[in-house]
Amino acid sequence: MKWDVVFGSVGMALVAMASAALAGDKTKSEQAFDRLSSLKGEWNGQIDGVNTTLIYTLTANGSALMEQCRPEKRPEMITLFTVDGDHLIAIHYCSAKNQPQMATSPITDAQKPLEFSLVRVTGLQAPDDFHNTGLTLIQDDNDHLTQEWSYQHKHKTGKNIFHFTRVRQGPS
């Protein structure tokens, strides 16, 4: 009986060490995705003076983070984030009815802001139609998020900066 306790304790310790080792084996891009996934939940802010809610949900067995952008009285938009090798990708389903596909450079520091640049865009009717060309996500802290969206329209470029605050759920 004494040996059962000893072997059980040793087995549990080995399982705990293996789990810790596996967590430490994550690539920088997986670590960055885990950090991005910490956005799960609801966020409030304004986009161009319009009250806007962001809802982040993990989907596809935890392999994709979906952002639902819900501006009051305006069309909803969705952005999907996932890991692709040593970088992250984002596909934005825009209310302008196009789909910018963006990627980060190879991730070397999982704690830095994530800077996505345009790889290609689908759904454009004309090359000078409005479309996003980049996104930087800055997790200021656990409760504050800044999004910097760059865009192109009629051969001009610009940037919009939006700030969001996590919605804390009250006690149930």
Side-chain angles (χ1 to χ4, degrees):
M1 179 104 135
K2 197 176 198 181
W3 286 108
D4 290 341
V5 171
V6 170
F7 284 122
S9 297
V10 169
M12 293 290 279
L14 289 173
V15 167
M17 288 187 324
S19 296
L22 287 175
D25 287 343
K26 287 191 173 188
T27 65
K28 296 287 186 192
S29 57
E30 290 168 330
Q31 292 172 28
F33 182 78
D34 286 349
R35 188 166 152 260
L36 187 62
S37 296
S38 73
L39 296 175
K40 288 185 304 190
E42 188 172 322
W43 297 74
N44 285 334
Q46 290 195 338
I47 294 180
D48 299 328
V50 175
N51 290 335
T52 301
T53 300
L54 300 179
I55 299 173
Y56 288 95
T57 309
L58 273 175
T59 188
N61 195 25
S63 67
L65 181 68
M66 179 174 65
E67 176 198 275
Q68 294 171 290
C69 178
R70 298 178 172 174
E72 281 184 355
K73 300 177 183 172
R74 290 194 183 166
E76 179 177 311
M77 295 175 278
I78 294 175
T79 305
L80 291 172
F81 301 92
T82 193
V83 175
D84 185 26
D86 61 356
H87 59 276
L88 299 184
I89 58 173
I91 302 174
H92 177 67
Y93 296 85
C94 190
S95 61
K97 298 184 179 180
N98 57 53
Q99 304 80 39
Q101 299 166 26
M102 301 170 280
T104 64
S105 298
I107 304 289
T108 57
D109 184 345
Q111 299 307 310
K112 285 189 175 181
L114 294 171
E115 296 180 23
F116 294 86
S117 298
L118 186 66
V119 174
R120 71 185 204 125
V121 61
T122 57
L124 283 180
Q125 299 299 311
D128 63 344
D129 284 351
F130 176 90
H131 61 282
N132 289 299
T133 57
L135 167 62
T136 300
L137 293 172
I138 304 164
Q139 291 174 260
D140 303 306
D141 57 40
N142 289 334
D143 294 322
H144 298 93
L145 171 67
T146 300
Q147 292 187 344
E148 298 178 357
W149 287 90
S150 56
Y151 64 88
Q152 184 175 332
H153 185 223
K154 296 188 179 184
H155 304 293
K156 293 184 181 178
T157 61
K159 183 183 281 190
N160 292 314
I161 300 174
F162 309 117
H163 301 280
F164 295 93
T165 302
R166 186 184 297 273
V167 174
R168 290 290 178 192
Q169 301 299 323
S172 315

